[in-house]
């Protein structure tokens, strides 16, 4: 008889370890343990059987994998944390004794650590780093908007600001922005970088207070790692486009035409304005190479290549959406957001020089095509430009085309701002504005592709050209026409004789409603399919049908609600018109 296994000595009880046990094992404080786990990417786990893991106890505890904690035993950062703890103890003692020379000497020898090896360890390849960039960008953009306080230090805020500006410059240079959406939380952006879709949110730049129920120490720990990660990513991205890193502006000219030299804060502010291109190192890589089309043996491959060429052409057109537009921003609009968006799609932007640095042209410039205004009226207007509201820029990007300006003019009631991240399923509610946009896109695609009528005309033209080449004369054509007329007369005479004898009766054309026939056929197929469903799956089928009916009823309610809102708007317009 084998040895009997003791309880809680194998299985799930030995796979997990509680947080207090892990802290005692690593000999760290709770703050240092939390920082170490954040930097190394180790998170708490939820065991399936808490009673087994807790050795019969069901008290709420935080558990970690035992292998993760054993992996942390040999981490060099633990020694750096202990050195910093010793440093803070010595500094506190020197300050308490009012020994200024000793305190200055201790501050000069403050221990530090780097996170480069941890970034390389967590992300073995550059694509892995890009896939995990969403939270990094959101946190860095959030800290870049914070004021310098005791909770958020000025050095951290300035570093986040510099790194986010660098990333925005890369997105502008590579034209990789795809979607933009304004929400209550902030502005959502989505970019496609090296085949990876990256989505982040930027908070609105408004005067806000720091909430008291947020642990800023934990957020600062994340930002400490994200700054190192974003620095690595920016360096690699800039070098992929042969851009100078850290970013430097191209040579700018002053009023006299001489080279303008910028130093220190002036250059940083000009770089942060996002209005000027950056310096390059060597030639910019050309990505406009077209693949070769081979013989008909690889017809499917040629079709896929042609489809890829069409998609690339469409993407190139979308990337240069505002290339023929020149914008001027008024004081009240979000300057940095609109500058980043318009520059990402090939447009030119400027504003009044008194608003901020980086203005490239002024308001009286006659080449300005659009002026973005967010106020009901404007005292001075130019006839050579359009005055539109900021939402027009966002909606044009989401629609991937320049929308009509009538709904976005100065003082107009704006249409709903639809989210490009929402994809409606079958039977769900689709706003009428989106339906109109989809219809417009389908009409444009139909106009761009050759129709069947054009192909038939081309075929008839080819046949006519062949006849001309074969040498047909007008006399031969007349002889053919007379022979055809004689044949028709003979056939009609034969039919009339057969009718008189009663051999042939004139038939009637049967009218078939194709739509109703198809509907009846689909209903029969559906009924047969329902009959063939096994009994054990019939309940699931009924649940699916109930969910579909529920979504259809909800969409109907939304349509009725939207119709009521439209009717109320029409009534208001009539009242204003009568008044």
């Amino acid at each position: 008889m084998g040895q009997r296994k003791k309880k809680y000595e194998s299985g799930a009880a030995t796979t997990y370890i509680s947080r207090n046990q892990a802290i005692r094992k690593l000999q760290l404080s709770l703050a240092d343990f939390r920082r170490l786990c954040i930097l190394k990417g180790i998170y708490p786990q939820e065991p399936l059987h808490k009673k087994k893991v807790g050795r019969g106890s069901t008290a709420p505890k935080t558990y970690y994998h035992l292998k993760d904690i054993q992996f942390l035993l040999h981490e060099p950062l633990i020694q750096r944390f202990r050195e910093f703890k010793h440093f803070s103890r010595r500094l506190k003692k020197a300050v308490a004794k009012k020994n200024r020379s000793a305190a200055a000497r201790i501050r000069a020898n403050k221990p530090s650590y780097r996170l480069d090896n941890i970034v390389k360890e967590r992300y073995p390849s550059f694509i892995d780093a890009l896939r995990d960039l969403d939270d990094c960008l959101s946190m860095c953009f959030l800290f870049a908007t914070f004021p310098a306080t005791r909770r958020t230090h000025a050095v951290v805020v300035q570093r986040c600001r510099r790194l986010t500006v660098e990333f925005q410059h890369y997105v502008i240079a590579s034209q990789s922005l795809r979607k933009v959406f304004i929400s209550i939380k902030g502005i959502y952006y989505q970019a496609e970088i090296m085949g990876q879709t990256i989505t982040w949110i930027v908070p609105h730049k408004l005067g806000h207070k720091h909430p008291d129920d947020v642990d800023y120490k934990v957020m600062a720990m994340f930002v400490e790692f994200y700054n190192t990660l974003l620095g690595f990513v920016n360096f690699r991205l800039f070098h992929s486009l042969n851009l100078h890193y850290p970013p430097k502006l191209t040579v700018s000219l002053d009023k006299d035409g001489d080279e303008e030299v910028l130093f220190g804060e002036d250059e940083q502010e000009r770089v942060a304005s996002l209005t000027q291109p950056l310096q390059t190192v060597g030639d910019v890589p050309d990505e406009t190479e077209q693949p070769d089309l081979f013989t008909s043996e690889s017809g499917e491959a040629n079709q896929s290549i042609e489809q890829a060429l069409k998609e690339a052409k469409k993407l190139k057109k979308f990337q240069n959406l505002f290339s023929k537009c020149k914008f001027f921003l008024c004081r009240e609009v979000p300057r940095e957001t609109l500058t980043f968006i318009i520059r990402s799609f090939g447009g030119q932007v400027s504003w009044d020089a008194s608003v901020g640095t980086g203005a490239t042209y002024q308001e009286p410039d006659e080449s300005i095509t659009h002026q973005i205004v967010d106020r009901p009226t404007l005292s001075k207007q130019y006839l050579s430009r359009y005055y539109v509201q900021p939402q027009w820029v966002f909606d044009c990007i989401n629609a991937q085309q320049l929308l009509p300006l009538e709904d976005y003019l100065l003082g107009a009631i704006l249409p709903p701002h639809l989210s490009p991240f929402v994809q409606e399923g079958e039977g769900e509610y689709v706003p009428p504005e989106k339906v109109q946009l989809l219809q417009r896109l389908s009409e444009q695609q139909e106009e761009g592709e050759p129709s069947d009528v054009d192909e038939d005309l081309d075929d008839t033209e080819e046949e006519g050209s062949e006849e001309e080449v074969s040498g047909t004369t007008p006399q031969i054509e007349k002889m053919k026409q007379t022979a055809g007329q004689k044949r028709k007369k003979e056939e009609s005479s034969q039919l009339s004789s057969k009718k008189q004898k009663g051999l042939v009766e004139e038939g009637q054309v049967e009218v078939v409603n194709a739509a109703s026939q198809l509907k009846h056929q689909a209903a029969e197929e559906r009924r047969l399919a329902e009959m063939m469903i096994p009994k054990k799956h019939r309940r699931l089928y009924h649940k699916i049908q109930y969910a579909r009916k529920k979504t259809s009823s909800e969409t109907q309610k939304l349509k009725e609600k939207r119709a009521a809102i439209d009717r109320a708007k029409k009534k208001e317009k009539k009242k204003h018109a009568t008044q």
Side-chain angles (χ1 to χ4, degrees), residues 534-546:
K535 192 173 182 181
K536 59 181 179 180
H537 298 315
R538 203 163 290 170
R539 187 181 178 190
L540 178 61
Y541 173 75
H542 289 313
K543 282 186 177 180
I544 294 170
Q545 291 298 111
Y546 174 75

Side-chain angles (χ1 to χ4, degrees), residues 77 80 112-118 228 232:
L77 276 178
R80 299 292 178 272
S112 61
Y113 57 88
R114 298 174 65 89
L115 303 176
D116 302 353
N117 58 335
I118 295 179
T228 308
F232 271 98

Side-chain angles (χ1 to χ4, degrees), residues 313-349:
K313 187 177 180 181
K314 184 179 177 183
L315 179 61
K316 192 69 178 177
K317 184 179 178 181
F318 175 52
Q319 288 175 340
N320 297 310
L321 185 64
F322 298 132
S323 59
K324 297 180 181 179
C325 302
K326 195 171 183 179
F327 293 87
F328 185 83
L329 308 181
C330 289
R331 296 173 179 271
E332 67 277 1
V333 300
R335 189 174 74 249
E336 184 175 343
T337 301
L338 289 170
T339 304
F340 170 59
I341 294 170
I342 294 169
R343 286 282 326 277
S344 298
F345 290 92
Q348 301 180 37
V349 196

Side-chain angles (χ1 to χ4, degrees), residues 24 235 297 309 393 506:
R24 287 196 297 269
F235 179 80
E297 295 179 0
L309 287 173
V393 179
E506 189 175 358

